[in-house]
Amino acid sequence: MALSISSLAREHEIFIKEQVEQIERALHPSVTEDEELVRRALFAVRNKSVVIGRYIPSNGILYTQVQDVRPTEVILHLHSQIIVCNCPHDGWCRHKVSVILSLYQYLDSVQDWAAKWRAKKGVNLHLLAAERTPENWLAMVDEVMSHLLPTGRQIEHYLISTIYENAYTKLRKHQPFEREWQPIYHLFMEIAIISKLWKHIFQTNVGMKQEYFEYFIDRRFEGIQIYVNELAGKSRLFATDVFFDALQVMVRELLVERNTYFSRRFNIYLLFWDSIFTERRRAEEERDVLANLQEVSEDVPLSDILNIFHILLKNYEELKRNLEEIQPEHLDVYFGLAKFSISKRDDVASEYILKSILPLLSDYINHYLMPSKRQLSVKRIHSLYDNINLTEQEEILLYSAFGVHGVQPYSSFLLKKQRYEEWVALHLLYPSSISYLETCGLKEILEHEPAVTLPLYHYYALEEVNQKSRMNYKQAVRIWKMMKSAAKKSGKVNYWTDYIQTVREQFKRLRALQEELEKGNLLA
């Protein structure tokens, strides 16, 4: 039996060693619960409490049992590399660990592995958490992350969320008992973990897949927002002041010392200065620190960031001077600043910013935005401009910058100004569909000046005819019925009669179309 287990272990050596590595990453010797879990798993191995049962080679399933307080079954699906335990614990439980170590002992020394694992223990997290200081909280993060992120090791993109969850789960076990302390603890840990992970990834992972990291950061931003909202506007304990001071330094370091995805780092920074850091003293201090920084990451436009504090401190002259030097590639920063000033209900700053970037919008949209992101970005930009008053010339400049991506807001503007012919010209310039025209205000045009819609109906009906299928002919007839109604409403009955007769004559060779025209009764 021992020989067959030994053969089985050697046959699946790669899988077993990979599982041992996962155990090392998932379980931290500084965490009391993890240390106890490994201790009990080792006890089970030493006392031969792991019983290797049946093995089915055809599907690679190995049945094992651990003689614990009650017998527990662990099933290894060796082909699909899945381990299932019937105990109620998620992730690595002592039963799974004991089974893997029982197999590992046929490949290497379990005692040596345990000694190396325990040697990684730096400090006891429980002792650090007992004395509540920012330094101890950072030391807790360092201890956990040093175990999960060994120096120089590249991280697979799909493991980013797993590493974060692993670290956060271990640190959450040491959260303060007092309810008023918990939001700042969670927020502190969020920022500290993200900063460590960010630094490690972009020092070691040259080929990190963009979409994975963006998705991860966007999800974490949502979590940060929740904790920020819990803290915003609430009275604070005097003892928490030093933790807010530490957070101020941490979010600054995340902004100016990390690299890549600057807009996401900037959004986190803005979130804190919008909701958490509200004291004038703190704003003045941060402005002075940023102004005197000597080294920052290459993607950090420091002079643009200083505008945050010109807004907070109402220093409009400095803000106006900085706005004279805006570059199109930095407009993401200025949209953030505009949103920030609107959130602060600073109408002066928001108007200065949005009007200053107006001449650069077209260049930004067409040359600095990916085509797939233009539609959504234009929608967001337009929502910002809704907060300020623009002259008619400025509005025309705004909508011309939007181009095809701003047809709907420009339509609303033309309707508001009762410029119905220009509305029709816009939709002939950027053709879409009848249903889209209705979302842009076609019914309002029909109510006030139906005659101007006739060229539109003509264009869309002929587009359907040119598709040359009976289904399209049916749709063309539906459009002509709308055109007929508009012509009658505008008193152009004779025009309509001449028009539809000309159409019938022009397409007399299209028998299917002629049949649909007869069915539509368009001459009646």
Side-chain angles (χ1 to χ4, degrees):
M1 183 67 180
L3 181 60
S4 68
I5 299 174
S6 175
S7 300
L8 181 66
R10 286 196 297 273
E11 182 181 347
H12 297 282
E13 179 177 354
I14 295 175
F15 167 74
I16 294 167
K17 288 186 175 180
E18 283 178 352
Q19 298 306 305
V20 170
E21 287 181 8
Q22 287 188 30
I23 292 169
E24 289 177 5
R25 288 197 295 269
L27 304 177
H28 196 296
S30 296
V31 177
T32 306
E33 293 85 350
D34 291 356
E35 188 174 33
E36 176 65 11
L37 187 154
V38 172
R39 186 188 67 77
R40 295 185 68 174
L42 290 168
F43 179 82
V45 174
R46 283 196 301 270
N47 286 274
K48 303 187 186 304
S49 298
V50 179
V51 179
I52 305 297
R54 292 182 300 130
Y55 174 59
I56 305 175
S58 60
N59 54 18
I61 296 179
L62 176 65
Y63 294 89
T64 68
Q65 192 175 78
V66 181
Q67 302 298 325
D68 202 357
V69 177
R70 60 172 184 166
T72 304
E73 186 177 49
V74 179
I75 303 173
L76 280 69
H77 299 262
L78 297 171
H79 291 172
S80 56
Q81 301 189 349
I82 296 172
I83 307 174
V84 180
C85 178
N86 66 356
C87 79
H89 298 285
D90 295 327
W92 285 107
C93 61
R94 62 180 181 270
H95 311 111
K96 291 181 183 177
V97 174
S98 60
V99 169
I100 291 298
L101 292 180
S102 291
L103 295 171
Y104 182 73
Q105 67 184 332
Y106 293 96
L107 305 173
D108 210 334
S109 168
V110 172
Q111 185 176 354
D112 287 350
W113 175 86
K116 290 176 183 176
W117 182 79
R118 290 189 173 114
K120 294 178 182 178
K121 181 175 181 177
V123 291
N124 190 296
L125 297 184
H126 182 72
L127 294 177
L128 284 174
E131 185 181 350
R132 205 171 291 169
T133 65
E135 292 75 21
N136 278 10
W137 284 7
L138 284 171
M140 291 165 65
V141 175
D142 287 341
E143 176 67 15
V144 170
M145 297 304 286
S146 65
H147 181 68
L148 295 171
L149 300 173
T151 303
R153 176 186 288 175
Q154 288 199 359
I155 300 173
E156 296 293 341
H157 50 264
Y158 55 82
L159 289 178
I160 295 175
S161 294
T162 303
I163 291 171
Y164 164 81
E165 293 293 345
N166 199 326
Y168 190 77
T169 300
K170 295 184 187 309
L171 292 165
R172 187 170 186 168
K173 293 176 182 177
H174 301 280
Q175 70 177 4
F177 290 109
E178 302 91 336
R179 188 183 299 272
E180 59 269 27
W181 273 91
Q182 290 175 7
I184 190 171
Y185 180 83
H186 293 303
L187 185 59
F188 192 100
M189 294 305 166
E190 283 272 4
I191 296 299
I193 294 171
I194 287 172
S195 186
K196 289 279 183 187
L197 195 53
W198 203 310
K199 182 178 181 180
H200 181 90
I201 286 172
F202 292 101
Q203 282 181 343
T204 58
N205 286 46
V206 178
M208 174 61 66
K209 288 192 176 180
Q210 177 178 337
E211 61 271 20
Y212 280 90
F213 192 75
E214 286 182 350
Y215 176 74
F216 167 72
I217 291 298
D218 291 343
R219 288 289 303 276
R220 294 308 352 123
F221 184 77
E222 292 171 7
I224 291 169
Q225 279 183 307
I226 292 170
Y227 296 126
V228 165
N229 291 337
E230 283 188 54
L231 288 168
K234 291 185 179 179
S235 58
R236 301 175 184 174
L237 300 172
F238 175 75
T240 63
D241 285 351
V242 290
F243 293 90
F244 283 101
D245 292 341
L247 272 171
Q248 181 179 340
V249 174
M250 289 160 63
V251 294
R252 182 197 310 137
E253 289 176 351
L254 181 64
L255 176 70
V256 302
E257 295 182 11
R258 303 297 172 257
N259 51 49
T260 69
Y261 303 105
F262 173 77
S263 62
R264 285 169 168 80
R265 285 149 47 208
F266 186 63
N267 285 340
I268 294 173
Y269 189 78
L270 272 179
L271 178 63
F272 274 82
W273 283 99
D274 186 28
S275 304
I276 297 291
F277 305 141
T278 56
E279 310 95 320
R280 184 178 180 87
R281 169 198 61 80
R282 195 182 289 276
E284 290 173 343
E285 173 190 299
E286 184 76 3
R287 176 199 60 193
D288 294 342
V289 170
L290 289 174
N292 292 308
L293 282 178
Q294 299 299 315
E295 293 184 7
V296 296
S297 294
E298 292 180 358
D299 62 347
V300 177
L302 203 53
S303 61
D304 296 339
I305 294 168
L306 283 168
N307 287 323
I308 296 172
F309 305 99
H310 298 327
I311 295 168
L312 287 172
L313 301 172
K314 310 290 185 187
N315 192 346
Y316 297 129
E317 290 305 315
E318 282 294 326
L319 177 63
K320 287 171 72 175
R321 272 196 288 274
N322 278 3
L323 293 174
E324 293 173 0
E325 301 176 359
I326 301 176
Q327 300 299 319
E329 61 266 30
H330 294 161
L331 284 200
D332 277 344
V333 174
Y334 284 90
F335 292 133
L337 290 171
K339 189 175 179 181
F340 178 73
S341 60
I342 291 166
S343 172
K344 292 295 182 183
R345 298 182 180 178
D346 190 332
D347 296 337
V348 176
S350 58
E351 186 166 326
Y352 280 157
I353 294 168
L354 290 171
K355 288 192 175 183
S356 295
I357 63 182
L358 194 52
L360 305 173
L361 268 183
S362 180
D363 190 19
Y364 169 76
I365 292 168
N366 293 299
H367 297 99
Y368 292 94
L369 278 180
M370 292 174 60
S372 59
K373 294 184 177 180
R374 288 174 188 168
Q375 190 75 38
L376 182 59
S377 295
V378 162
K379 187 176 179 180
R380 290 172 176 168
I381 294 167
H382 185 255
S383 69
L384 292 176
Y385 278 93
D386 275 344
N387 292 279
I388 66 169
N389 294 317
L390 295 174
T391 65
E392 189 167 319
Q393 284 302 113
E394 288 169 337
E395 285 191 309
I396 292 172
L397 182 60
L398 174 67
Y399 296 123
S400 63
F402 289 166
V404 66
H405 309 290
V407 169
Q408 198 163 15
Y410 193 23
S411 297
S412 300
F413 167 73
L414 293 173
L415 289 176
K416 184 173 66 175
K417 299 293 184 181
Q418 298 183 352
R419 289 155 56 174
Y420 303 126
E421 290 186 4
E422 290 180 54
W423 188 97
V424 170
L426 173 68
H427 288 277
L428 287 171
L429 179 62
Y430 299 117
S432 51
S433 66
I434 292 293
S435 59
Y436 184 70
L437 292 181
E438 290 175 350
T439 66
C440 291
L442 178 60
K443 289 181 180 178
E444 187 175 338
I445 303 286
L446 286 169
E447 183 179 342
H448 292 93
E449 200 168 336
V452 300
T453 65
L454 300 179
L456 270 177
Y457 286 125
H458 168 71
Y459 172 82
Y460 284 101
L462 290 188
E463 285 293 297
E464 295 293 339
V465 171
N466 289 335
Q467 299 301 313
K468 295 187 177 176
S469 75
R470 187 172 288 272
M471 184 180 67
N472 292 106
Y473 295 155
K474 288 178 183 290
Q475 182 60 24
V477 170
R478 292 190 194 102
I479 296 171
W480 275 321
K481 284 183 177 180
M482 297 177 195
M483 184 177 178
K484 177 183 177 181
S485 176
K488 282 187 174 182
K489 193 172 182 179
S490 58
K492 292 182 175 289
V493 178
N494 292 333
Y495 164 82
W496 167 254
T497 303
D498 293 340
Y499 171 82
I500 200 63
Q501 286 178 344
T502 303
V503 167
R504 296 190 68 167
E505 181 64 27
Q506 181 179 351
F507 298 109
K508 62 184 179 182
R509 294 180 180 276
L510 300 177
R511 181 179 298 175
L513 176 60
Q514 294 294 328
E515 290 174 1
E516 294 302 325
L517 288 169
E518 288 291 341
K519 290 178 188 177
N521 199 23
L522 293 173
L523 285 173

